[in-house]
Amino acid sequence: EGQPGWTLADSWIYARLQQVVREVERLFDNYQYGEAGRQIYDFLWGEFADWYVEIAKLQLDLDGDRAFYTAQTLLQVLDQTLRLLHPFTPFVTEELWGHLKLATQEYFPAYRPEGGWEEALIIARWPEQRHEEPWERGKIADFELVQEVVRAIRNLRAEKSVPPSRKIPATLAGGDATPILCDQAAAIAALSNLDPGELQIAERLEEKPEGSVALIAGPVEIYLPLAGMV
């Protein structure tokens, strides 16, 4: 976490992966294989694919160190998740992991799993269970706030039938969470289909914007102009 290239999204997905590994180990110990499979599936689709991959696209476009650390995180999380999923869907994961291994060795040799690439996934090392590090819960909580803001905006857009192609303005009053919102402004705009040039973030507002719908996401007040949606 001390590396200069890790973003909030990178730190969040890594910390969530560690949580999933620990939880799967616990469930396996208690013979709750169905629940273990469900949690891996939910993590792969509901968190890695739906959230991290979308933010990773933005980070890869920035090139340099940011793109390097993003690619490394993408590979590590997908590699480890396929290992977790292998007992449940062995043929599919073996095929996918083989392609991932060959592509990584050719295009991103800097990433090597612990112990190196095994000959096949069926004999590959199981993800190592790690103790929780002090920073992990804070990063997860910060990213969950970003998710809450994005979901609130997405829900209102859906209610108002706003086309995904329409970029709308937004004003956020973040209170104590303002630094997180400012740091994550590009991701929030992209994931919510906001106009990044008309996304205003303040600690608090003296007057509420007129003609706007007000939403609450944790400590954050969100104001979306009706004129931009109807």
Side-chain angles (χ1 to χ4, degrees), residues 72-206:
Q72 182 169 301
T73 304
L74 281 166
L75 293 170
Q76 180 182 23
V77 176
L78 185 54
D79 170 34
Q80 296 292 297
T81 306
L82 288 174
R83 292 171 190 246
L84 289 173
L85 203 54
H86 188 62
F88 301 92
T89 54
F91 299 105
V92 172
T93 49
E94 188 72 72
E95 184 78 11
L96 291 172
W97 190 83
H99 286 296
L100 178 69
K101 171 185 172 181
L102 291 175
T104 304
Q105 288 175 326
E106 181 175 357
Y107 298 109
F108 200 86
Y111 173 71
R112 292 178 76 255
E114 291 183 20
W117 289 104
E118 294 88 350
E119 187 176 343
L121 181 55
I122 195 170
I123 58 170
R125 181 182 301 197
W126 185 252
E128 180 183 346
Q129 186 176 182
R130 302 175 186 275
H131 292 295
E132 184 179 64
E133 297 184 49
W135 58 268
E136 290 184 16
R137 291 197 185 188
K139 295 294 184 182
I140 289 174
D142 287 350
F143 193 82
E144 285 177 347
L145 175 61
V146 172
Q147 289 178 301
E148 206 174 336
V149 169
V150 170
R151 286 193 186 106
I153 298 171
R154 284 177 172 176
N155 289 342
L156 187 67
R157 289 182 65 113
E159 286 176 21
K160 301 293 184 184
S161 301
V162 182
S165 59
R166 183 180 296 175
K167 306 288 186 184
I168 62 175
T171 300
L172 308 181
D176 292 341
T178 303
I180 299 169
L181 299 178
C182 291
D183 181 62
Q184 298 299 307
I188 291 170
L191 294 170
S192 308
N193 284 343
L194 299 176
D195 183 341
E198 293 191 72
L199 171 57
Q200 300 180 29
I201 301 173
E203 187 171 344
R204 56 185 53 83
L205 300 175
E206 297 299 327

Side-chain angles (χ1 to χ4, degrees), residues 19-30:
Q19 284 186 338
V20 170
V21 170
R22 288 191 291 269
E23 187 61 12
V24 167
E25 288 284 357
R26 185 188 69 79
L27 291 166
F28 274 10
D29 287 344
N30 290 283

